[in-house]
Amino acid sequence: MTRESESGLPIEPVYGPEVLDGWRAEEKLGDPGAFPFTRGVYPTMYTGRPWTMRQYAGFGTATESNARYKQLIANGTAGLSVAFDLPTQMGHDSDAPIASGEVGKVGVAIDSIDDMRVLFDGIPLDEVSTSMTINAPASLLLLLYQLVAEEQGVPADRLTGTIQNDVLKEYIARGTYIFPPKPSLRLIADIFKYCRAEIPKWNTISISGYHMAEAGASPAQEIAFTLADGIEYVRTAVAAGMDVDDFAPRLSFFFVARTTILEEVAKFRAARRIWAKVMKEEFGAKDPKSLMLRFHTQTAGVQLTAQQPEVNLVRVAVQGLGAVLGGTQSLHTNSFDEAIALPTDKSARLALRTQQVLAYETDVTATVDPFAGSYVVERMTDDVEAAALELMGKVEDMGGAVEAIERGFQKGEIERSAYRIAQETDSGERVVVGVNRFRLDEEEPYEPLRVDPAIEAQQAARLAKLRAERDQGAVDAALAELKEAAGGTANVLHPMKDALRARATVGEVCNALREVWGAYVPTDAF
């Protein structure tokens, strides 16, 4: 009996050698670390060292998050991954009326350089790699990080890390946008230019399919719409006068890892192959690093259940294994209790230990691309690639990612996929252990981590103190220069940095840009 993959593609009960016709051809597979990078972006992959083990963390105040980061580093985390609360992600201060009830809930509240100092107090920024899941106001958080590093005596050319900075997927699947698409793309181009000159080792964007997948996108949709967004960013930078090889090596991607291991491995391999060909054939990239699709992976939060939450430990281990077999460069494994609340210290440690078991107690790091030549994986790689290219062609026919977004194409396709998944789960056709099969009559009690609601008042008090102490004239002058740059063609990051150094808040800087660029209002999908 033939099953269907998550992308709706057939999975045959048996595959044979006939699927491998031409699979050794250089244009299809090649060697690890060589075009088209199907088998991985580096020749040795994990045989020399494992992937970067990140843990996504941040909640409440900067003080609380700082303590969690120090615990993660002590437990063996090689890279930090910062979660910001919704007001910060939307460019609002904690004392703004719109922020009420959301301060510190899904991440840490960062209102100014004062908070950023506390967040990284005692953490040497020249020794850690920091990823920041921030999009519309990514430039602000990067500059605050640079300013804190300067206060530590760390030069910018020694900073390593990533800002997500992928605003196009916000219009498609997530919603934490601020400005309309065109000024948002201009801001991203300014970040590319700034980092090339000031912070050369920084990954300037992490083009994300993860949130599309969490919204219901199939694996084929995930990579198709993500790579289409990537093409839009490259075109924007080239149109702004940058040479593709000056910025493309710092591009990175962010994908989900589901429990469907075989298709996930195929998805990652197909994505690398498509991107390498696009960068070579459309943009004429010459630097091999410009052709490499390097990516971070997070295990699928949407697959975790509040019912029998300990079962999520198994799900996360399987998801993490799929990411490793697919060749990820860094990995975050979710904690088993994230479907209930913020992870506890113990559950966060267990999530990290899951990665360490994969890296040090299994043999998956002993060889590169273990599934190469597998009848099923090679066929599924071809199938996912073909399905993704078909969707990317439809985006191109509409004029590119931005035009397709404005027509609601990607959003509509993802919503149809999400509806199919919901129907299959409700009918029992799709088994979810503990939810529609193998249920308990009564769930065991579990005490989740709670965020203290007093945090909102504490942040408001910190902001009042900041505004009373700072040189308001210097802030006003810096914000005026920022608005002038935003209305012209100058790089906005330079006056933005001056404003943040003068202790302008995240909300004030974003409001200054809103005055010039406006705020995005979504249109209904066709």
Side-chain angles (χ1 to χ4, degrees):
M1 178 180 176
T2 300
R3 287 178 52 181
E4 282 192 351
S5 72
E6 293 289 288
S7 297
L9 305 170
I11 304 177
E12 303 296 338
V14 178
Y15 291 86
E18 69 278 358
V19 306
L20 300 182
D21 290 344
W23 72 280
R24 292 183 182 277
E26 180 180 345
E27 67 273 10
K28 198 168 185 184
L29 201 62
D31 294 323
F35 183 87
F37 302 101
T38 309
R39 300 196 61 195
V41 292
Y42 302 122
T44 58
M45 288 305 289
Y46 312 134
T47 60
R49 66 180 181 88
W51 58 92
T52 299
M53 299 180 194
R54 296 191 186 277
Q55 286 305 105
Y56 185 49
F59 65 96
T61 65
T63 300
E64 290 172 294
S65 294
N66 175 263
R68 174 66 65 88
Y69 295 156
K70 288 175 178 175
Q71 289 171 349
L72 290 171
I73 292 170
N75 287 329
T77 296
L80 299 176
S81 187
V82 183
F84 298 95
D85 71 356
L86 280 176
T88 304
Q89 292 182 49
M90 299 292 290
H92 298 294
D93 290 333
S94 295
D95 59 355
I98 197 171
S100 179
E102 294 294 341
V103 177
K105 289 292 179 66
V106 299
V108 61
I110 298 294
D111 291 317
S112 72
I113 190 172
D114 292 13
D115 292 327
M116 205 67 161
R117 288 189 189 109
V118 175
L119 186 65
F120 291 103
D121 180 55
I123 297 175
L125 298 188
D126 55 344
E127 296 178 16
V128 300
S129 171
T130 302
S131 174
M132 292 188 276
T133 304
I134 194 74
N135 294 284
S139 52
L140 284 75
L141 277 300
L142 174 62
L143 292 171
L144 288 173
Y145 190 84
Q146 182 187 4
L147 286 167
V148 170
E150 289 175 358
E151 292 176 356
Q152 289 187 5
V154 177
D157 61 6
R158 292 182 63 182
L159 296 177
T160 60
T162 304
I163 42 173
Q164 192 162 102
N165 194 29
D166 175 11
V167 74
L168 290 181
K169 65 97 175 41
E170 299 295 331
Y171 306 119
I172 295 171
R174 194 159 175 266
T176 62
Y177 41 71
I178 299 176
F179 315 113
K182 287 185 179 178
S184 294
L185 288 173
R186 179 260 179 98
L187 182 56
I188 288 170
D190 282 357
I191 292 170
F192 287 177
K193 292 177 183 177
Y194 180 88
C195 286
R196 182 172 181 265
E198 301 281 339
I199 320 176
K201 294 180 182 179
W202 198 266
N203 296 318
T204 50
I205 194 167
S206 179
I207 307 160
S208 175
Y210 181 88
H211 304 95
M212 298 184 207
E214 292 285 278
S218 70
Q221 290 173 337
E222 178 191 356
I223 64 170
F225 298 148
T226 304
L227 298 184
D229 286 352
I231 290 169
E232 192 78 34
Y233 294 132
V234 175
R235 288 174 179 164
T236 297
V238 170
M242 299 185 71
D243 184 274
V244 67
D245 288 320
D246 285 343
F247 66 88
R250 304 314 307 175
L251 302 178
S252 64
F253 291 79
F254 175 26
F255 296 116
V256 78
R258 302 169 179 83
T259 52
T260 45
I261 288 181
L262 298 180
E263 188 177 16
E264 290 301 282
V265 171
K267 176 191 76 178
F268 296 133
R269 299 169 90 247
R272 280 194 293 267
R273 192 153 74 199
I274 294 171
W275 186 249
K277 291 178 180 177
V278 166
M279 294 302 289
K280 183 177 183 179
E281 295 170 6
E282 177 174 343
F283 296 107
K286 302 291 192 301
D287 187 340
K289 292 181 179 179
S290 298
L291 312 178
M292 296 178 182
L293 184 144
R294 298 170 302 111
F295 63 95
H296 169 71
T297 308
Q298 182 173 336
T299 55
V302 74
Q303 290 188 317
L304 303 187
T305 64
Q307 299 90 335
Q308 301 179 45
E310 292 83 356
V311 177
N312 293 328
L313 287 165
V314 181
R315 293 188 177 102
V316 169
V318 170
Q319 294 162 350
L321 179 60
V324 171
L325 291 170
T328 192
Q329 276 60 71
S330 68
L331 176 63
H332 164 80
T333 36
N334 290 326
S335 301
F336 75 89
D337 50 358
E338 288 189 35
I340 302 172
L342 290 168
T344 63
D345 290 346
K346 182 178 181 180
S347 63
R349 183 170 60 251
L350 281 170
L352 176 60
R353 294 289 183 255
T354 302
Q355 293 199 51
Q356 291 165 338
V357 168
L358 291 174
Y360 301 111
E361 294 190 21
T362 75
D363 57 2
V364 296
T365 60
T367 186
V368 178
D369 192 20
F371 277 162
S374 158
Y375 299 153
V376 60
V377 168
E378 295 299 349
R379 175 58 181 272
M380 291 179 78
T381 300
D382 290 348
D383 288 348
V384 172
E385 178 184 24
L389 287 172
E390 182 180 355
L391 286 167
M392 292 172 71
K394 291 179 179 180
V395 171
E396 282 296 295
D397 290 344
M398 294 179 187
V402 171
E403 286 76 9
I405 287 167
E406 291 176 346
R407 294 178 63 174
F409 173 67
Q410 300 97 318
K411 186 172 182 288
E413 290 292 302
I414 291 170
E415 287 173 350
R416 277 187 284 275
S417 175
Y419 182 62
R420 173 177 62 86
I421 293 170
Q423 284 184 309
E424 292 173 357
T425 303
D426 289 345
S427 70
E429 179 183 353
R430 177 184 293 264
V431 176
V432 181
V433 174
V435 175
N436 59 11
R437 284 184 69 181
F438 315 113
R439 291 178 289 193
L440 294 176
D441 292 333
E442 185 176 342
E443 290 289 331
E444 297 175 359
Y446 177 78
E447 184 60 36
L449 178 67
R450 304 289 186 188
V451 174
D452 187 346
I455 285 171
E456 189 168 321
Q458 293 169 9
Q459 285 297 112
R462 284 175 60 81
L463 281 165
K465 183 173 183 291
L466 174 146
R467 293 184 180 116
E469 293 176 347
R470 70 186 181 184
D471 182 341
Q472 189 61 44
V475 171
D476 293 340
L479 291 175
E481 290 184 14
L482 173 62
K483 287 190 281 188
E484 183 178 353
T489 59
N491 193 313
V492 298
L493 268 73
H494 297 287
M496 187 184 293
K497 185 181 180 184
D498 291 339
L500 293 168
R501 183 189 288 112
R503 300 175 79 190
T505 67
V506 168
E508 290 166 343
V509 171
C510 288
N511 287 338
L513 293 176
R514 285 184 181 98
E515 288 182 31
V516 180
W517 291 342
Y520 178 69
V521 178
T523 56
D524 292 334
F526 282 10

